[in-house]
């Protein structure tokens, strides 16, 4: 009998080695909008208070456990290319997991691809950017075709006859992923194809040629022959493409199907193997006489497609800001539940320094993005239009550049568990560099800032006029602006110094916006840590006197 008892006791100990305690839990089942105080304030401040109820409902969806799982599944099950069907017919289909289609459908049903065009009103771009900010925290890869579809409209409107045919289906809130002609669909998506092997960002080096089918010219049909080395979202229904005519590089709309119902010879050679942006298909393609229609003036293709690029760059700002917010939310949530050395992590001074610093970076990125959304809403105002021309590149450079380091530091707050693939952090970390490289890398953004200043000197006046709203309200900011003025006055080796100058421009504008709209404990901490001569860009080096507890409380998402 004693032997039996000893055996039972031994077996019990083998089965139950310890009690699970002092661990965090999934950040899920919360309202992603309602719990983001800074975002709600920005939506109100920048003119989209009317969208608050819709954003509340959308935040409930995006923060739900079931919907967050869709983002995980979309990245776990990668897209697959089917070049031919089993009978040997060319198909160029990309196959996706249902979770990816769920994300695409939700984005389109909520108008993230079109709402400022279909319902233009004060705050329309702000409301759409806020929704995009929430949705991208769930899953970033699907945002590429959503952004391109959204951004295609201004360029397509340069050719009214094409816009009249395509825009109703581009802006429709109907997601139809079938690979069929646009005539059979109520809703379509649009991509773009500029990059070639030999040129990269230097699109003038492209070699793709366009041959007129008839008389040629704007709105007329051409056949395109060439190789496009990086085409994101090849399952889109049409693409804005750059190709050379006898008058120079021109812009074209190239559908996947010809009007007669035959397949257009845009052939997908392979899907790219990317380190991030996994759910989104990116491809290499051949154009073998693909039928396309010229958009806008012949020979002005770069200028024409830049109408689209400006919008995609804006979405890069929003997307990177969203990545920061999710990384911050994960770190704050973990540190609110985890204890070490006898105290909660978010109550320990050194960890508070890190968390508060990450929160400052996140709020500053979102605040600048939402301010630029208001500028897009008000482009009929000369000052706002000038800000769009200049600050889109400034913000895209700085926010996207800061995101990878932010993701890493937030991951370090989690510790070893943050590196595990069943955590969200590997996905956030791999995604973080994407927006800094796509739609023009850091150097391209800085060169575009210099180009805007040279071509339209008024943009500089508009920039400093924006900063004057907070003149005299913060000593460090005032000094930073004075020093920045000296940088502009010295035009020697400006291209060499461009990154330094653009960085200081971004910090000046972020600081000014926070002084205007955020609580003093946020604005003062940002200025003290980013603008003071002894400041550090390493997270967790905030100076003394910062109210880290208040910053952490403001940013922490509450579950339940």
């Amino acid at each position: 009998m004693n032997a039996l008892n000893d055996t039972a006791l031994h077996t019990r100990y083998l089965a139950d080695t310890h009690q699970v305690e002092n661990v965090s839990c999934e950040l899920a089942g919360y309202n992603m909008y309602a719990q983001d105080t800074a975002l709600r304030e920005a939506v109100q401040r920048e003119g989209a208070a009317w969208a608050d109820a819709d954003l509340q409902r959308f935040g409930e969806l995006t923060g739900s456990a079931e919907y967050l799982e869709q983002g995980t599944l979309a990245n776990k099950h990668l897209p697959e290319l089917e070049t031919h069907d089993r009978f040997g017919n060319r198909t160029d289909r990309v196959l996706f997991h249902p979770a990816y289609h769920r994300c695409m459908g939700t984005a389109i049903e909520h108008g993230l691809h079109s709402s400022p065009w279909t319902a233009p009103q004060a705050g329309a771009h702000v409301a759409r950017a806020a929704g995009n900010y929430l949705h991208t925290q769930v899953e970033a890869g699907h945002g590429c075709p959503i952004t391109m579809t959204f951004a295609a409209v201004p360029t397509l409107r340069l050719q009214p006859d094409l816009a009249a045919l395509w825009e109703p289906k581009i802006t429709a809130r109907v997601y139809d992923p079938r690979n069929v002609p646009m005539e059979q669909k109520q809703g379509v998506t649009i991509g773009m194809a500029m990059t070639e092997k030999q040129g990269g960002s230097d699109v003038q080096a492209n070699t793709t040629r366009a041959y007129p089918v008839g008389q040629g010219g704007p709105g007329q049909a051409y056949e395109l022959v060439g190789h496009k080395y990086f085409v994101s979202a090849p399952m889109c229904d049409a693409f804005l493409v750059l190709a050379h005519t006898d008058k120079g590089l021109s812009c074209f709309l190239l559908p996947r199907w010809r009007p007669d119902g035959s397949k257009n010879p845009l052939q997908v050679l392979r899907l790219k193997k990317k380190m991030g942006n996994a759910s989104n298909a990116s491809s290499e393609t051949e154009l073998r006489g693909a039928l396309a229609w010229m958009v806008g003036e012949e020979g002005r293709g770069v200028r024409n497609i830049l109408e689209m690029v400006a919008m995609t760059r804006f979405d890069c700002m929003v997307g990177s800001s969203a990545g920061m917010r999710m990384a911050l939310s994960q770190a704050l949530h973990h540190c609110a539940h985890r204890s070490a050395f006898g105290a909660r992590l978010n109550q320990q001074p050194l960890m508070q320094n890190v968390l508060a610093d990450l929160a400052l970076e996140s709020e500053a990125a979102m605040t600048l993005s939402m301010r630029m959304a208001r500028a897009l809403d008000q482009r009929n105002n000369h000052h706002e239009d000038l800000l769009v021309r200049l600050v889109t590149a400034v913000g895209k450079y700085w926010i996207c550049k800061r995101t990878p380091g932010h993701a890493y530091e937030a991951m370090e707050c989690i510790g070893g568990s943050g590196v595990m693939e069943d955590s969200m952090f590997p996905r956030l970390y791999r995604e973080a560099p994407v927006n800094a490289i796509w739609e023009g890398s850091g150097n391209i953004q800085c060169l575009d800032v210099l180009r805007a200043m040279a071509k339209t000197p008024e943009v500089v006046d508009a920039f400093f006029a924006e900063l004057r709203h907070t003149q005299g309200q913060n000593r460090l900011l005032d000094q930073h602006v004075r020093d920045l003025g000296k940088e502009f006055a010295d035009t020697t080796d400006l291209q060499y110094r461009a990154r330094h100058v653009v960085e200081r421009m971004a910090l000046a504008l972020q600081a000014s916006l926070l002084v205007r709209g955020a609580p003093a404990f946020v604005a003062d901490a940002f200025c003290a840590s980013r603008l003071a001569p002894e400041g550090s860009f390493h997270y967790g080096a905030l100076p003394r006197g910062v109210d880290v507890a208040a910053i952490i409380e403001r940013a922490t998402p509450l579950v339940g």
Side-chain angles (χ1 to χ4, degrees):
M1 189 70 175
N2 288 337
L4 288 174
N5 288 339
D6 289 344
T7 301
L9 186 63
H10 180 62
T11 304
R12 180 168 66 84
Y13 280 124
L14 285 176
D16 188 9
T17 62
H18 68 289
Q19 181 177 350
V20 178
E21 59 185 16
N22 191 29
V23 295
S24 186
C25 57
E26 290 292 342
L27 175 58
Y30 71 111
N31 189 314
M32 199 179 282
Y33 178 72
Q35 297 298 328
D36 192 338
T37 301
L39 176 62
R40 295 199 325 271
E41 290 175 358
V43 167
Q44 296 278 333
R45 183 172 60 247
E46 305 301 353
W50 52 266
D52 188 77
D54 285 341
L55 290 169
Q56 290 280 356
R57 287 189 290 271
F58 196 53
E60 191 72 28
L61 169 66
T62 56
S64 67
E66 184 274 333
Y67 198 69
L68 287 165
E69 178 67 11
Q70 300 303 304
T72 300
L73 292 171
N75 282 270
K76 182 178 180 179
H77 303 280
L78 304 185
E80 298 179 359
L81 174 63
E82 176 196 87
T83 58
H84 297 76
D85 66 18
R86 66 191 183 95
F87 302 106
N89 300 305
R90 186 95 199 187
T91 58
D92 292 304
R93 292 177 63 209
V94 182
L95 308 177
F96 294 89
H97 188 269
Y100 175 87
H101 291 304
R102 172 82 182 279
C103 292
M104 284 289 294
T106 299
I108 287 176
E109 288 161 13
H110 285 82
L112 300 185
H113 70 307
S114 66
S115 55
W117 314 132
T118 56
Q121 58 180 305
H125 279 284
V126 174
R128 184 253 171 192
N132 200 19
Y133 180 79
L134 297 172
H135 206 231
T136 303
Q137 291 180 58
V138 177
E139 204 292 301
H142 81 283
C144 184
I146 294 299
T147 284
M148 291 189 295
T149 302
F150 164 70
V153 172
T155 289
L156 201 56
R157 286 177 176 177
L158 297 174
Q159 195 61 48
D161 52 341
L162 290 177
L165 178 65
W166 283 86
E167 188 173 330
K169 294 189 177 184
I170 291 172
T171 58
R173 295 194 179 192
V174 177
Y175 176 55
D176 185 345
R178 293 178 301 155
N179 183 14
V180 298
M182 65 91 75
E183 289 80 9
Q184 299 178 30
K185 292 188 170 190
Q186 291 180 297
V188 300
T189 55
I190 306 293
M192 65 178 173
M194 295 193 290
T195 307
E196 299 185 13
K197 293 176 183 175
Q198 71 285 351
S201 297
D202 182 9
V203 294
Q204 291 293 347
N206 286 1
T207 60
T208 297
R209 294 288 305 181
Y211 301 96
V213 173
Q215 64 183 16
Q220 299 302 306
Y222 288 72
E223 289 187 339
L224 275 53
V225 177
H227 184 106
K228 293 297 180 180
Y229 194 57
F230 205 94
V231 180
S232 254
M235 68 288 177
C236 287
D237 297 284
F239 304 86
L240 286 169
V241 180
L242 292 178
H244 282 281
T245 68
D246 292 339
K247 294 184 179 180
L249 201 60
S250 302
C251 182
F252 298 87
L253 180 69
L254 188 159
R256 291 183 73 189
W257 295 82
R258 290 173 175 252
D260 64 4
S262 63
K263 189 181 178 306
N264 213 4
L266 180 151
Q267 297 181 355
V268 182
L269 304 182
R270 59 172 175 151
L271 297 186
K272 300 287 193 175
K273 297 178 180 179
K274 308 181 301 256
M275 83 170 205
N277 210 242
S279 69
N280 176 40
S282 299
S283 66
E284 189 173 343
T285 65
E286 291 277 5
L287 308 179
R288 303 180 184 273
L291 190 64
W293 283 262
M294 184 177 287
V295 177
E297 185 180 351
E298 186 174 0
R300 303 300 298 273
V302 174
R303 185 197 67 177
N304 294 342
I305 209 166
L306 279 178
E307 294 290 328
M308 181 179 192
V309 171
M311 291 295 178
T312 59
R313 287 177 175 175
F314 168 72
D315 269 14
C316 284
M317 294 170 59
V318 176
S320 289
S321 300
M324 284 192 194
R325 175 60 191 173
M326 179 51 82
L328 171 68
S329 296
Q330 294 286 332
L332 289 168
H333 177 73
H334 174 85
C335 292
H337 289 80
R338 177 82 167 174
S339 296
F341 312 113
R344 289 288 171 131
L345 288 177
N346 68 356
Q347 299 298 313
Q348 300 189 33
L350 186 53
M351 182 60 84
Q352 286 181 320
N353 196 317
V354 174
L355 293 172
D357 211 355
L358 292 170
L360 292 175
E361 192 74 34
S362 173
E363 181 164 348
M366 181 277 298
T367 299
L368 178 54
S369 297
M370 292 301 155
R371 173 64 185 91
M372 292 312 299
R374 173 158 66 91
L376 288 171
D377 277 319
Q378 299 177 357
R379 290 199 74 174
N380 58 335
N381 177 291
H382 187 54
H383 171 78
E384 301 296 323
D385 183 59
L386 292 172
L387 284 183
V388 170
R389 295 188 195 187
L390 181 69
V391 179
T392 301
V394 172
K396 199 273 189 187
Y397 169 78
W398 184 243
I399 293 172
C400 299
K401 186 69 67 181
R402 294 288 282 170
T403 303
H406 188 276
Y408 155 70
E409 196 68 58
M411 181 164 58
E412 188 173 310
C413 294
I414 308 297
S417 296
V419 184
M420 300 301 116
E421 287 291 346
D422 55 1
S423 148
M424 185 182 283
F425 267 105
R427 171 157 49 109
L428 291 171
Y429 187 63
R430 287 193 291 263
E431 190 71 33
V434 170
N435 286 332
I437 296 170
W438 286 4
E439 308 308 328
S441 61
N443 283 355
I444 296 298
Q445 301 309 309
C446 292
L447 292 173
D448 280 354
V449 170
L450 300 186
R451 191 175 298 113
M453 290 163 51
K455 185 177 180 181
T456 313
E458 290 175 282
V459 298
V460 177
D461 297 331
F463 178 79
F464 281 99
E466 188 72 12
L467 297 179
R468 280 196 291 273
H469 286 293
T470 46
Q471 187 172 356
Q473 297 182 41
N474 184 283
R475 176 184 59 82
L476 290 170
L477 177 56
D478 288 345
Q479 184 60 52
H480 183 87
V481 173
R482 285 193 293 269
D483 292 343
L484 186 57
K486 295 175 184 177
E487 294 271 10
F488 277 82
D490 180 8
T491 58
T492 58
D493 64 7
L494 190 55
Q495 185 177 132
Y496 180 81
R497 296 183 291 116
R499 283 193 175 213
H500 175 71
V501 172
V502 173
E503 171 187 306
R504 301 191 77 183
M505 292 172 69
L507 288 172
L509 191 49
Q510 285 183 323
S512 178
L513 291 170
L514 291 175
V515 168
R516 261 182 271 178
F521 60 81
V522 170
D524 291 346
F526 185 88
C527 292
S529 58
R530 270 67 171 173
L531 307 184
E534 66 275 13
S536 171
F537 284 132
H538 295 292
Y539 293 109
L542 294 175
R544 290 172 172 170
V546 171
D547 191 347
V548 291
I551 295 170
I552 291 170
E553 182 181 5
R554 172 177 171 83
T556 300
L558 302 177
V559 179

